[in-house]
CSV table of all heavy atoms in Angstrom, one decimal:
chain,number,residue,atom,x,y,z
A,4,ASN,N,0.8,-1.2,0.0
A,4,ASN,CA,0.0,0.0,0.0
A,4,ASN,C,0.9,1.3,0.0
A,4,ASN,O,0.3,2.4,0.0
A,4,ASN,CB,-0.9,0.0,1.2
A,4,ASN,CG,-2.1,1.0,1.1
A,4,ASN,OD1,-2.6,1.2,0.0
A,4,ASN,ND2,-2.4,1.7,2.2
A,5,SER,N,2.2,1.1,0.0
A,5,SER,CA,3.1,2.2,0.0
A,5,SER,C,4.2,1.9,-1.1
A,5,SER,O,4.5,0.8,-1.3
A,5,SER,CB,3.7,2.4,1.4
A,5,SER,OG,4.9,3.2,1.3
A,6,GLY,N,4.7,3.0,-1.6
A,6,GLY,CA,5.8,2.8,-2.6
A,6,GLY,C,7.1,2.5,-2.0
A,6,GLY,O,8.0,2.2,-2.8
A,7,GLU,N,7.3,2.6,-0.7
A,7,GLU,CA,8.6,2.4,-0.1
A,7,GLU,C,8.5,1.4,1.0
A,7,GLU,O,8.7,1.7,2.2
A,7,GLU,CB,9.2,3.7,0.4
A,7,GLU,CG,9.4,4.7,-0.7
A,7,GLU,CD,10.0,6.0,-0.1
A,7,GLU,OE1,9.7,6.3,1.0
A,7,GLU,OE2,10.8,6.6,-0.8
A,8,PRO,N,8.1,0.1,0.7
A,8,PRO,CA,7.9,-0.9,1.8
A,8,PRO,C,9.0,-1.2,2.7
A,8,PRO,O,8.9,-1.4,3.9
A,8,PRO,CB,7.4,-2.1,1.0
A,8,PRO,CG,8.0,-1.9,-0.3
A,8,PRO,CD,7.9,-0.5,-0.6
A,9,ARG,N,10.3,-1.2,2.1
A,9,ARG,CA,11.4,-1.6,2.9
A,9,ARG,C,11.7,-0.7,4.1
A,9,ARG,O,12.3,-1.1,5.1
A,9,ARG,CB,12.7,-1.7,2.0
A,9,ARG,CG,12.7,-2.9,1.1
A,9,ARG,CD,13.0,-4.2,1.9
A,9,ARG,NE,14.2,-4.2,2.6
A,9,ARG,CZ,15.4,-4.5,2.0
A,9,ARG,NH1,15.5,-4.8,0.8
A,9,ARG,NH2,16.5,-4.5,2.8
A,10,ARG,N,11.2,0.6,4.0
A,10,ARG,CA,11.4,1.5,5.1
A,10,ARG,C,10.6,1.1,6.3
A,10,ARG,O,10.9,1.5,7.4
A,10,ARG,CB,11.0,2.9,4.6
A,10,ARG,CG,11.9,3.6,3.6
A,10,ARG,CD,11.4,5.0,3.3
A,10,ARG,NE,11.2,5.8,4.5
A,10,ARG,CZ,10.5,6.9,4.6
A,10,ARG,NH1,9.9,7.3,3.5
A,10,ARG,NH2,10.4,7.6,5.7
A,11,HIS,N,9.6,0.3,6.1
A,11,HIS,CA,8.7,0.0,7.2
A,11,HIS,C,8.8,-1.5,7.6
A,11,HIS,O,7.8,-2.1,8.1
A,11,HIS,CB,7.3,0.3,6.8
A,11,HIS,CG,7.1,1.7,6.3
A,11,HIS,ND1,7.2,2.8,7.1
A,11,HIS,CD2,6.9,2.2,5.0
A,11,HIS,CE1,7.0,3.9,6.4
A,11,HIS,NE2,6.9,3.6,5.2
A,12,GLN,N,9.9,-2.2,7.2
A,12,GLN,CA,10.0,-3.6,7.5
A,12,GLN,C,11.3,-3.9,8.2
A,12,GLN,O,12.3,-3.1,8.1
A,12,GLN,CB,10.0,-4.4,6.2
A,12,GLN,CG,8.8,-4.2,5.3
A,12,GLN,CD,8.8,-5.0,4.0
A,12,GLN,OE1,9.8,-5.7,3.8
A,12,GLN,NE2,7.8,-4.9,3.2
A,13,ALA,N,11.4,-5.0,8.8
A,13,ALA,CA,12.6,-5.5,9.4
A,13,ALA,C,12.6,-7.1,9.3
A,13,ALA,O,11.5,-7.7,9.2
A,13,ALA,CB,12.8,-5.1,10.9
A,14,LEU,N,13.8,-7.7,9.3
A,14,LEU,CA,13.9,-9.1,9.3
A,14,LEU,C,14.9,-9.6,10.3
A,14,LEU,O,16.0,-9.0,10.5
A,14,LEU,CB,14.4,-9.6,7.9
A,14,LEU,CG,14.5,-11.1,7.6
A,14,LEU,CD1,14.1,-11.4,6.2
A,14,LEU,CD2,15.9,-11.6,7.9
A,15,VAL,N,14.5,-10.7,11.0
A,15,VAL,CA,15.4,-11.3,12.0
A,15,VAL,C,15.6,-12.7,11.5
A,15,VAL,O,14.7,-13.5,11.3
A,15,VAL,CB,14.8,-11.3,13.4
A,15,VAL,CG1,15.7,-12.1,14.4
A,15,VAL,CG2,14.7,-9.9,13.9
A,16,ALA,N,16.9,-13.1,11.4
A,16,ALA,CA,17.3,-14.4,10.8
A,16,ALA,C,17.5,-15.4,12.0
A,16,ALA,O,17.6,-15.1,13.1
A,16,ALA,CB,18.5,-14.3,9.9
A,17,GLN,N,17.8,-16.7,11.6
A,17,GLN,CA,18.1,-17.7,12.6
A,17,GLN,C,19.4,-17.3,13.4
A,17,GLN,O,19.4,-17.5,14.6
A,17,GLN,CB,18.4,-19.0,11.9
A,17,GLN,CG,17.3,-19.7,11.3
A,17,GLN,CD,17.7,-21.1,10.7
A,17,GLN,OE1,18.6,-21.7,11.3
A,17,GLN,NE2,17.1,-21.5,9.6
A,18,ARG,N,20.4,-16.8,12.7
A,18,ARG,CA,21.6,-16.4,13.4
A,18,ARG,C,21.8,-14.9,13.1
A,18,ARG,O,22.5,-14.5,12.1
A,18,ARG,CB,22.8,-17.2,12.8
A,18,ARG,CG,22.7,-18.7,13.2
A,18,ARG,CD,23.9,-19.5,12.6
A,18,ARG,NE,23.8,-20.9,13.0
A,18,ARG,CZ,23.2,-21.8,12.3
A,18,ARG,NH1,22.5,-21.5,11.2
A,18,ARG,NH2,23.2,-23.1,12.7
A,19,PRO,N,21.3,-14.0,13.9
A,19,PRO,CA,21.4,-12.6,13.6
A,19,PRO,C,22.8,-12.1,13.8
A,19,PRO,O,23.6,-12.6,14.6
A,19,PRO,CB,20.5,-12.0,14.7
A,19,PRO,CG,20.4,-13.0,15.8
A,19,PRO,CD,20.5,-14.3,15.1
A,20,VAL,N,23.1,-11.1,13.0
A,20,VAL,CA,24.4,-10.5,13.1
A,20,VAL,C,24.5,-9.5,14.3
A,20,VAL,O,23.6,-8.6,14.4
A,20,VAL,CB,24.8,-9.7,11.8
A,20,VAL,CG1,26.1,-9.0,11.9
A,20,VAL,CG2,24.8,-10.7,10.6
A,21,MET,N,25.5,-9.7,15.1
A,21,MET,CA,25.7,-8.8,16.3
A,21,MET,C,26.8,-7.9,16.0
A,21,MET,O,27.9,-8.3,15.6
A,21,MET,CB,26.0,-9.6,17.5
A,21,MET,CG,24.9,-10.5,18.0
A,21,MET,SD,23.5,-9.6,18.7
A,21,MET,CE,22.2,-9.8,17.5
A,22,LEU,N,26.6,-6.6,16.1
A,22,LEU,CA,27.7,-5.7,16.0
A,22,LEU,C,28.7,-5.8,17.1
A,22,LEU,O,28.4,-6.2,18.2
A,22,LEU,CB,27.2,-4.2,15.9
A,22,LEU,CG,26.1,-4.0,14.8
A,22,LEU,CD1,25.7,-2.5,14.9
A,22,LEU,CD2,26.7,-4.2,13.4
A,23,ARG,N,30.0,-5.4,16.8
A,23,ARG,CA,31.0,-5.6,17.8
A,23,ARG,C,31.0,-4.4,18.8
A,23,ARG,O,31.8,-3.5,18.9
A,23,ARG,CB,32.4,-5.6,17.1
A,23,ARG,CG,33.5,-6.2,18.0
A,23,ARG,CD,34.8,-6.1,17.2
A,23,ARG,NE,34.8,-7.0,16.1
A,23,ARG,CZ,35.0,-8.3,16.1
A,23,ARG,NH1,35.3,-8.9,17.2
A,23,ARG,NH2,35.0,-9.0,14.9
A,24,ARG,N,29.9,-4.4,19.6
A,24,ARG,CA,29.6,-3.3,20.6
A,24,ARG,C,28.6,-3.9,21.6
A,24,ARG,O,28.2,-5.0,21.5
A,24,ARG,CB,29.1,-2.1,19.9
A,24,ARG,CG,27.9,-2.2,19.0
A,24,ARG,CD,27.6,-1.0,18.2
A,24,ARG,NE,28.6,-0.8,17.1
A,24,ARG,CZ,28.6,0.2,16.3
A,24,ARG,NH1,27.8,1.2,16.5
A,24,ARG,NH2,29.5,0.3,15.3
A,25,SER,N,28.2,-3.1,22.5
A,25,SER,CA,27.4,-3.5,23.6
A,25,SER,C,26.0,-3.8,23.1
A,25,SER,O,25.6,-3.4,22.0
A,25,SER,CB,27.4,-2.5,24.8
A,25,SER,OG,26.6,-1.3,24.4
A,26,VAL,N,25.2,-4.4,24.0
A,26,VAL,CA,23.8,-4.6,23.7
A,26,VAL,C,23.1,-3.3,23.4
A,26,VAL,O,22.4,-3.2,22.4
A,26,VAL,CB,23.1,-5.4,24.9
A,26,VAL,CG1,21.6,-5.4,24.8
A,26,VAL,CG2,23.6,-6.8,25.0
A,27,ALA,N,23.2,-2.4,24.3
A,27,ALA,CA,22.6,-1.1,24.2
A,27,ALA,C,23.0,-0.4,22.9
A,27,ALA,O,22.2,0.2,22.2
A,27,ALA,CB,22.8,-0.2,25.4
A,28,ALA,N,24.3,-0.5,22.6
A,28,ALA,CA,24.9,0.2,21.4
A,28,ALA,C,24.4,-0.4,20.1
A,28,ALA,O,24.2,0.2,19.1
A,28,ALA,CB,26.4,0.2,21.5
A,29,ASN,N,24.1,-1.7,20.2
A,29,ASN,CA,23.5,-2.4,19.0
A,29,ASN,C,22.2,-1.8,18.7
A,29,ASN,O,21.9,-1.5,17.5
A,29,ASN,CB,23.4,-3.9,19.3
A,29,ASN,CG,24.5,-4.7,18.7
A,29,ASN,OD1,24.4,-5.3,17.6
A,29,ASN,ND2,25.6,-4.8,19.5
A,30,ILE,N,21.4,-1.6,19.7
A,30,ILE,CA,20.0,-1.0,19.5
A,30,ILE,C,20.2,0.5,19.1
A,30,ILE,O,19.5,1.0,18.2
A,30,ILE,CB,19.2,-1.1,20.8
A,30,ILE,CG1,19.0,-2.6,21.1
A,30,ILE,CG2,17.8,-0.4,20.6
A,30,ILE,CD1,18.3,-2.9,22.4
A,31,ALA,N,21.1,1.2,19.8
A,31,ALA,CA,21.3,2.6,19.5
A,31,ALA,C,21.7,2.8,18.0
A,31,ALA,O,21.3,3.8,17.3
A,31,ALA,CB,22.3,3.2,20.4
A,32,TYR,N,22.5,1.9,17.5
A,32,TYR,CA,23.0,2.0,16.1
A,32,TYR,C,21.8,1.9,15.2
A,32,TYR,O,21.7,2.6,14.2
A,32,TYR,CB,24.1,1.0,15.9
A,32,TYR,CG,24.6,1.0,14.4
A,32,TYR,CD1,25.5,2.0,14.0
A,32,TYR,CD2,24.1,0.1,13.5
A,32,TYR,CE1,25.9,2.1,12.7
A,32,TYR,CE2,24.5,0.1,12.2
A,32,TYR,CZ,25.4,1.1,11.8
A,32,TYR,OH,25.9,1.2,10.5
A,33,ALA,N,21.0,0.9,15.4
A,33,ALA,CA,19.8,0.6,14.6
A,33,ALA,C,18.9,1.9,14.6
A,33,ALA,O,18.4,2.3,13.5
A,33,ALA,CB,19.0,-0.6,15.0
A,34,LEU,N,18.7,2.5,15.7
A,34,LEU,CA,17.9,3.7,15.8
A,34,LEU,C,18.5,4.8,15.0
A,34,LEU,O,17.8,5.6,14.3
A,34,LEU,CB,17.7,4.1,17.2
A,34,LEU,CG,16.9,3.2,18.1
A,34,LEU,CD1,17.0,3.6,19.6
A,34,LEU,CD2,15.4,3.3,17.7
A,35,SER,N,19.8,5.0,15.1
A,35,SER,CA,20.5,6.1,14.3
A,35,SER,C,20.4,5.9,12.8
A,35,SER,O,20.2,6.8,12.1
A,35,SER,CB,22.0,6.2,14.8
A,35,SER,OG,22.7,5.0,14.3
A,36,VAL,N,20.5,4.6,12.4
A,36,VAL,CA,20.4,4.3,10.9
A,36,VAL,C,19.1,4.7,10.4
A,36,VAL,O,18.9,5.2,9.3
A,36,VAL,CB,20.8,2.8,10.7
A,36,VAL,CG1,20.4,2.4,9.3
A,36,VAL,CG2,22.2,2.5,10.9
A,37,LYS,N,18.0,4.4,11.2
A,37,LYS,CA,16.7,4.8,10.8
A,37,LYS,C,16.3,6.2,11.1
A,37,LYS,O,15.2,6.7,10.7
A,37,LYS,CB,15.7,3.9,11.6
A,37,LYS,CG,15.7,2.4,11.1
A,37,LYS,CD,15.0,2.3,9.8
A,37,LYS,CE,14.8,0.8,9.4
A,37,LYS,NZ,14.1,0.6,8.1
A,38,GLY,N,17.2,7.0,11.7
A,38,GLY,CA,16.9,8.4,12.0
A,38,GLY,C,15.9,8.6,13.0
A,38,GLY,O,15.2,9.6,13.0
A,39,ILE,N,15.8,7.6,13.9
A,39,ILE,CA,14.8,7.7,15.0
A,39,ILE,C,15.4,8.3,16.2
A,39,ILE,O,16.4,7.9,16.8
A,39,ILE,CB,14.2,6.3,15.4
A,39,ILE,CG1,13.5,5.7,14.1
A,39,ILE,CG2,13.3,6.4,16.6
A,39,ILE,CD1,13.1,4.2,14.4
A,40,VAL,N,14.8,9.5,16.6
A,40,VAL,CA,15.3,10.2,17.8
A,40,VAL,C,14.2,10.2,18.8
A,40,VAL,O,13.3,11.1,18.8
A,40,VAL,CB,15.7,11.7,17.4
A,40,VAL,CG1,16.3,12.4,18.6
A,40,VAL,CG2,16.7,11.6,16.3
A,41,GLU,N,14.1,9.2,19.6
A,41,GLU,CA,13.1,9.1,20.7
A,41,GLU,C,13.9,8.6,21.9
A,41,GLU,O,14.3,7.5,22.0
A,41,GLU,CB,12.1,8.1,20.3
A,41,GLU,CG,11.2,8.4,19.1
A,41,GLU,CD,10.1,7.4,18.8
A,41,GLU,OE1,9.8,6.6,19.7
A,41,GLU,OE2,9.7,7.4,17.7
A,42,PRO,N,14.1,9.5,22.9
A,42,PRO,CA,14.9,9.2,24.1
A,42,PRO,C,14.5,8.0,24.8
A,42,PRO,O,15.4,7.3,25.4
A,42,PRO,CB,14.7,10.5,24.9
A,42,PRO,CG,14.4,11.6,24.0
A,42,PRO,CD,13.6,10.9,22.9
A,43,ASP,N,13.3,7.6,24.8
A,43,ASP,CA,12.8,6.5,25.6
A,43,ASP,C,12.8,5.2,24.8
A,43,ASP,O,12.5,4.1,25.3
A,43,ASP,CB,11.4,6.7,26.1
A,43,ASP,CG,11.4,7.9,27.1
A,43,ASP,OD1,12.4,8.2,27.7
A,43,ASP,OD2,10.3,8.5,27.2
A,44,ARG,N,13.1,5.3,23.5
A,44,ARG,CA,12.9,4.1,22.6
A,44,ARG,C,14.0,3.0,23.0
A,44,ARG,O,13.7,1.8,23.0
A,44,ARG,CB,13.1,4.5,21.2
A,44,ARG,CG,12.6,3.4,20.2
A,44,ARG,CD,11.1,3.3,20.2
A,44,ARG,NE,10.7,2.3,19.2
A,44,ARG,CZ,9.5,1.9,19.0
A,44,ARG,NH1,8.5,2.4,19.8
A,44,ARG,NH2,9.1,0.9,18.1
A,45,LEU,N,15.2,3.4,23.3
A,45,LEU,CA,16.2,2.4,23.6
A,45,LEU,C,15.9,1.7,24.9
A,45,LEU,O,15.9,0.4,24.9
A,45,LEU,CB,17.6,3.1,23.8
A,45,LEU,CG,18.7,2.3,24.3
A,45,LEU,CD1,19.0,1.1,23.4
A,45,LEU,CD2,20.0,3.2,24.4
A,46,ASP,N,15.4,2.4,25.9
A,46,ASP,CA,15.1,1.7,27.2
A,46,ASP,C,13.8,0.8,27.0
A,46,ASP,O,13.8,-0.3,27.5
A,46,ASP,CB,14.7,2.8,28.2
A,46,ASP,CG,16.0,3.5,28.8
A,46,ASP,OD1,17.1,2.9,28.6
A,46,ASP,OD2,15.8,4.6,29.3
A,47,ALA,N,12.9,1.3,26.1
A,47,ALA,CA,11.7,0.4,25.8
A,47,ALA,C,12.1,-0.9,25.1
A,47,ALA,O,11.6,-1.9,25.4
A,47,ALA,CB,10.7,1.2,25.0
A,48,ALA,N,13.1,-0.8,24.2
A,48,ALA,CA,13.6,-2.0,23.5
A,48,ALA,C,14.3,-2.9,24.5
A,48,ALA,O,14.1,-4.1,24.4
A,48,ALA,CB,14.5,-1.6,22.3
A,49,LEU,N,15.1,-2.4,25.3
A,49,LEU,CA,15.8,-3.2,26.3
A,49,LEU,C,14.8,-3.9,27.2
A,49,LEU,O,14.9,-5.1,27.5
A,49,LEU,CB,16.7,-2.4,27.2
A,49,LEU,CG,18.0,-1.8,26.5
A,49,LEU,CD1,18.7,-0.8,27.4
A,49,LEU,CD2,18.9,-3.0,26.1
């Protein structure tokens, strides 16, 4: 229903790739890539 579906999707595989950083920093990096600036979002994900 949208012309840009990948912007609104995510995929988790059997063996997910973990970045060489902390648990919190993994989530923070994903937020930064998506341009999401919500101070409480990281804590909510944890």
Side-chain angles (χ1 to χ4, degrees):
N4 197 37
S5 164
E7 298 180 329
R9 285 288 299 280
R10 290 182 54 196
H11 308 290
Q12 300 178 5
L14 183 144
V15 174
Q17 286 185 36
R18 295 180 177 85
V20 175
M21 296 288 108
L22 302 178
R23 199 181 296 275
R24 56 191 73 186
S25 71
V26 168
N29 264 263
I30 298 172
Y32 178 78
L34 291 170
S35 69
V36 168
K37 288 286 188 176
I39 297 174
V40 182
E41 296 181 22
D43 296 332
R44 192 72 178 174
L45 173 56
D46 287 340
L49 289 170

